Amino acid sequence: RFATGALLAQETLSNLKTMGLVLIVWPLLEALATNAVGYMWKANGDVPYWKANYFIDMGPIAVGVFLVAVKGVLEHAVALKADHDLTI
């Protein structure tokens, strides 16, 4: 799409939003899975001591929020470009 000059394509914007949402949700799911596995190890007696880990990596969440915000800005740019293309 970029080679043909379609820089502001709607498909690119939907992919950008999907990537942003995945980056927002991923650290939360990872922390949940880490705690669940640790709890199961402790419950089965595989580890003698386990403490819940409340660390959530904020880096991917920040990048995901940034991508969703960029998607909103680019969506506005697409609307402005469409309006500009229709203007004589």
Side-chain angles (χ1 to χ4, degrees):
R1 289 186 187 107
F2 293 135
T4 61
L7 295 176
L8 297 175
Q10 190 64 33
E11 294 83 14
T12 305
L13 296 179
S14 65
N15 291 339
L16 195 64
K17 182 179 180 182
T18 302
M19 282 191 323
L21 292 177
V22 166
L23 283 172
I24 291 170
V25 172
W26 183 264
L28 302 173
L29 293 177
E30 189 254 341
L32 181 66
T34 300
N35 284 325
V37 169
Y39 176 75
M40 288 189 313
W41 283 350
K42 174 67 174 148
N44 288 334
D46 293 336
V47 292
Y49 175 74
W50 174 74
K51 182 179 173 185
N53 184 6
Y54 297 109
F55 175 75
I56 296 177
D57 192 8
M58 294 304 289
I61 293 174
V63 172
V65 170
F66 177 75
L67 286 178
V68 172
V70 166
K71 185 253 182 203
V73 170
L74 288 177
E75 197 170 58
H76 186 67
V78 167
L80 287 175
K81 183 182 179 302
D83 185 43
H84 174 70
D85 289 343
L86 295 174
T87 305
I88 297 177

